[in-house]
Amino acid sequence: MSVRTQSSEQSVEASHRAGFACFVGRPNAGKSTLTNALVGQKVAITSNRPQTTRHTVRGIVHRPEAQLILVDTPGLHKPRTLLGERLNDVVRATWAEVDVIGFCLPADQKIGPGDRFIAKELAGIKKTPKVAIVTKTDLVDSKALAEQLIAIDRLGEELGITWAEIVPVSATANKQVDLLADLLVPLLPEGPALYPEGDLTDEPEQVMVAELIREAALEGVRDELPHSIAVVVEEMLPREDRPADRPLLDIHANVFIERPSQKGIIIGPKGKRLKEVGIKSRKHIEALLGTPVFLDLHVKVAKDWQRDPKQLRRLGF
């Protein structure tokens, strides 16, 4: 078993490489946080609730010798709704198209049925190199980490997966994140850059703004709400008649929930919660777009949208 740490790094002299890598793993395995750490900026929604990523966010890592495009997929899981099934289809379609797959397994949780479910699916994909990434290493001591590394090695042997690398990382403590990029790059095909220097993602700005609002709306709500929230940005327009040195972007967005009873949870007593969502997301949106923003939020009911094909389409799924 070859486990990589910073000291075993090797310099690889090669021509320019460019390609796609995707991180897979059960919900809440640290995929989005890792994407953000590699890109160096917030491009993927992170939350301590499982199943928060619904769009395939591509983060772009620029290096002198390579361009690594990270495809962040929803966590693969046993689906209970039509939305769940669609998310799983997105994952499988993505796996078929990337150059390398990073399988994220948290250091602080034993390998469980969800991990095995994904590993079995991965075993069926023969040609694509697979890197096992042990995430959240800052949460465990060296003994627990060693046990997890051995368990992952065994899982590969048992299912006939040859790991190209096994890499322990901590995205929050920024440990071995650069090393992970160093190890993914040689697995990419040779070729010119696929995106202009400076681009960090190819997500449309409206989608990213909606995700930032949804992330703020997810924080602190009760457990029944995480999947019930969808956000649609209706319009983003620069306000007219503003002096050039003081621009303002007007953003109008709707927060959709599934039942009228959920409205009060999102809005909060005297509108306090919705106001907090607005303040928090506006800060992130302004950082993303680099301009002051006026954010107008409304909460609407879209009855049982997760199970309704027509509403799923309307909400962008």
Side-chain angles (χ1 to χ4, degrees), residues 53-247:
T53 306
R54 291 184 187 150
H55 293 279
T56 308
V57 174
R58 292 184 167 81
I60 304 165
V61 182
H62 300 272
R63 293 185 149 209
E65 81 289 4
Q67 191 176 72
L68 173 65
I69 299 135
L70 301 167
V71 183
D72 182 38
T73 58
L76 192 74
H77 62 296
K78 292 205 160 73
R80 288 192 302 272
T81 62
L82 181 60
L83 173 66
E85 284 171 30
R86 294 227 172 137
L87 293 179
N88 277 358
D89 292 343
V90 168
V91 179
R92 293 194 185 94
T94 306
W95 291 4
E97 291 161 8
V98 295
D99 302 297
V100 55
I101 296 172
F103 182 19
C104 295
L105 297 120
D108 63 332
Q109 294 166 38
K110 288 207 160 24
I111 291 173
D115 301 309
R116 288 185 171 278
F117 174 67
I118 294 167
K120 281 184 184 139
E121 295 257 342
L122 286 178
I125 301 169
K126 296 294 182 216
K127 288 199 189 83
T128 315
K130 295 158 205 73
V131 173
I133 304 166
V134 187
T135 57
K136 308 186 185 187
T137 58
D138 54 304
L139 301 180
V140 297
D141 59 20
S142 53
K143 181 172 175 282
L145 179 57
E147 283 168 7
Q148 186 72 323
L149 292 167
I150 291 164
I152 290 167
D153 192 43
R154 285 202 184 121
L155 178 69
E157 278 176 14
E158 189 189 314
L159 297 173
I161 301 170
T162 307
W163 304 118
E165 305 280 357
I166 300 178
V167 197
V169 301
S170 165
T172 48
N174 202 19
K175 272 197 187 136
Q176 304 230 120
V177 173
D178 282 343
L179 173 69
L180 175 62
D182 292 342
L183 297 172
L184 291 173
V185 162
L187 301 170
L188 303 176
E190 290 187 9
L194 301 167
Y195 288 90
E197 184 69 48
D199 280 14
L200 295 176
T201 177
D202 70 350
E203 274 285 31
E205 281 178 345
Q206 267 176 264
V207 172
M208 292 187 73
V209 167
E211 286 289 270
L212 290 171
I213 295 167
R214 193 165 69 91
E215 178 173 35
L218 277 170
E219 252 172 61
V221 292
R222 292 215 301 275
D223 291 338
E224 71 267 29
L225 237 60
H227 308 332
S228 301
I229 298 172
V231 176
V232 175
V233 173
E234 298 297 339
E235 61 176 16
M236 280 170 49
L237 294 169
R239 186 170 295 185
E240 290 173 14
D241 310 327
R242 292 283 292 191
D245 59 339
R246 286 181 48 235

Side-chain angles (χ1 to χ4, degrees), residues 205 236 238 246-251 282-294:
E205 281 178 345
M236 280 170 49
R246 286 181 48 235
L248 185 68
L249 187 67
D250 283 317
I251 298 178
R282 197 183 72 227
K283 202 171 78 198
H284 287 307
I285 293 164
E286 290 181 339
L288 172 77
L289 302 177
T291 181
V293 161
F294 171 78

